[in-house]
Amino acid sequence: MMHLPESERERFQLLLMAAVDGELDAQTRPQFEHFVQNYPECQAEWLKYAKLKEVTQAMQFKNPPPEVWENYWRSVYNRLERGFGWILLSLGAVILLTYGGYQAIVALLADTEVELVMKIAILAVIAGAALLLVSVLREKLFTARTDKYQKEIER
Amino acid sequence: MPESEAENDHGLVLRSQRGEAHAFGLLVQRHMQRAYFTALALTGSPEDARDLSQEAFVRAYRAIAKFDAAAGAFFTWYYRILRNLCLNLRRDRSRRARPFAEIGESVMEQVAAATEEDPAVLAERNELQDALWRALASLKPAACEVIVLKDFQGMSYKEIAEALHCPVGTVMSRLFEARRRLRELMENYL
């Protein structure tokens, strides 16, 4: 009985996959047939993988209720719309907060009735909050840049 | 056949790139079932499949301007977005360490029961399907993925290679390894 040479094993495995998936062409079909006809282990492998393919191909998923398909695009559209809404809201909020913050600081510095210690404390709170915000944003941006899947999502 | 149905993906992509949301809607409707079932096979949960496949369409729309419609098929490009969302979910789930039994059950609930009339054949087939799903759920994501794309989605090697950004030979070796592992897990049923 002939055994499949080790050097041919990888070649046979690729041809086997192509045969199982019906992707053999005129050039590779005779090569595969040669393996199957000359090596019993190749024939056995072929039968096993063909059976597995039969089983996986026969598998069917349960269909979701029809309303899932009926509302599918509407849901996608709603998400898109909400996404634009969030962008506008965030942009507006950033502008308002920046402008409001600036005006508040100017008014605070100009107010002679507020003690110096209080002014320093309020400014420290504002500066600390701004630093924390920038730090979190930078971390988020850094994570997005180094996330191994992000590149694919952006592509 | 209505014009919208006759128009190919390429035309719809070009119109979407010009900002026509309606054209993108047609693309979504054309591919939503494929997208949902692919996500379902990768996540095992209908809720996650619906959520992730829709989220992937949202991201695809936002990035559609960058997609070169002449270079590849829309679905293979879309699939890359979808797979990353599914892989992220699986990664998060593995961190949360869900019990295997829970994952297996949720996957199996989504398998359609066989409709054979002979009860013996029916029982055997359902048992086989359950076994297959348990086996698939325990494969590594990359192995599960190639089987889903090839056997459930019927994609060609070339399409899979394009979707996974790897040579056709790599697709074939991954498939062999995935099926070899699947066969080991299914040994008592085949």
Side-chain angles (χ1 to χ4, degrees):
Chain A
M1 185 185 290
M2 283 173 70
H3 284 285
L4 179 66
E6 205 52 41
S7 57
E8 296 276 22
R9 191 161 295 280
E10 197 178 333
R11 175 75 189 141
F12 169 68
Q13 288 169 354
L14 297 185
L15 288 171
L16 176 62
M17 288 304 100
V20 162
D21 292 319
E23 295 218 19
L24 283 176
D25 54 30
Q27 194 190 341
T28 51
R29 184 174 298 280
Q31 296 171 24
F32 177 71
E33 284 170 357
H34 165 79
F35 278 118
V36 172
Q37 283 162 9
N38 292 288
Y39 301 103
E41 62 188 283
C42 292
Q43 191 174 20
E45 288 277 283
W46 158 236
L47 292 174
K48 284 178 190 168
Y49 280 90
K51 172 70 180 168
L52 180 69
K53 173 81 179 183
E54 201 180 293
V55 171
T56 51
Q57 270 203 321
M59 194 60 53
Q60 283 185 339
F61 284 111
K62 196 185 279 180
N63 233 324
E67 55 266 26
V68 167
W69 304 130
E70 285 159 18
N71 299 326
Y72 194 94
W73 163 237
R74 173 58 47 196
S75 300
V76 173
Y77 186 80
N78 287 343
R79 284 184 190 215
L80 279 170
E81 213 170 42
R82 278 200 293 271
F84 291 126
W86 277 113
I87 290 170
L88 287 175
L89 184 74
S90 310
L91 197 66
V94 166
I95 293 170
L96 285 176
L97 281 173
T98 309
Y99 183 76
Y102 172 75
Q103 291 296 334
I105 291 169
V106 169
L108 179 72
L109 292 175
D111 194 337
T112 51
E113 287 181 12
V114 180
E115 289 179 27
L116 181 64
V117 178
M118 288 305 290
K119 284 182 183 176
I120 292 170
I122 292 170
L123 286 175
V125 168
I126 293 172
L131 265 174
L132 286 173
L133 184 70
V134 169
S135 174
V136 169
L137 284 177
R138 195 176 51 204
E139 192 179 318
K140 289 273 179 202
L141 281 173
F142 179 77
T143 311
R145 258 191 246 125
T146 53
D147 182 349
K148 65 177 184 172
Y149 299 132
Q150 189 65 25
K151 195 176 156 206
E152 293 295 344
I153 293 164
E154 292 290 320
R155 190 173 278 137
Chain B
M1 186 184 286
E3 188 192 347
S4 58
E5 281 184 42
E7 188 169 6
N8 61 22
D9 281 4
H10 185 262
L12 291 173
V13 166
L14 292 178
R15 283 172 54 198
S16 302
Q17 287 174 330
R18 288 197 294 267
E20 289 184 41
H22 174 68
F24 190 73
L26 293 174
L27 270 176
V28 170
Q29 281 163 345
R30 186 173 289 174
H31 295 288
M32 62 187 179
Q33 297 203 2
R34 220 177 155 191
Y36 170 83
F37 286 120
T38 304
L40 182 58
L42 292 174
T43 64
S45 150
E47 289 77 25
D48 289 337
R50 198 161 58 223
D51 182 43
L52 295 186
S53 62
Q54 290 181 345
E55 180 59 26
F57 276 120
V58 169
R59 292 185 187 204
Y61 185 72
R62 287 184 191 146
I64 195 92
K66 296 177 195 165
F67 172 53
D68 181 3
F74 171 77
F75 190 80
T76 46
W77 176 73
Y78 164 83
Y79 173 72
R80 287 203 288 270
I81 300 172
L82 178 63
R83 85 186 275 257
N84 292 329
L85 291 173
C86 293
L87 291 178
N88 281 338
L89 181 84
R90 283 180 74 137
R91 193 177 52 182
D92 292 346
R93 269 190 192 163
S94 65
R95 282 184 185 151
R96 285 205 303 272
R98 284 168 78 206
F100 173 73
E102 188 190 324
I103 299 167
E105 287 307 313
S106 63
V107 169
M108 281 162 50
E109 281 166 12
Q110 294 314 310
V111 178
T115 51
E116 181 68 44
E117 284 181 10
D118 181 343
V121 176
L122 179 67
E124 191 184 326
R125 193 169 297 173
N126 284 340
E127 193 186 343
L128 190 64
Q129 293 202 349
D130 288 354
L132 176 59
W133 279 102
R134 279 189 192 283
L136 271 176
S138 65
L139 287 181
K140 286 183 180 168
C144 178
E145 178 180 41
V146 280
I147 291 180
V148 167
L149 294 180
K150 186 68 220 169
D151 293 346
F152 300 159
Q153 290 299 328
M155 287 167 81
S156 68
Y157 288 159
K158 193 166 168 278
E159 287 171 323
I160 299 174
E162 195 183 312
L164 302 183
H165 271 300
C166 63
V168 168
T170 306
V171 171
M172 293 166 84
S173 352
R174 277 194 204 172
L175 256 177
F176 178 78
E177 282 308 317
R179 285 173 171 157
R180 189 182 57 76
R181 181 73 189 124
L182 197 60
R183 259 192 49 215
E184 283 171 7
L185 294 165
M186 298 277 296
E187 203 174 6
N188 297 334
Y189 299 91
L190 294 173

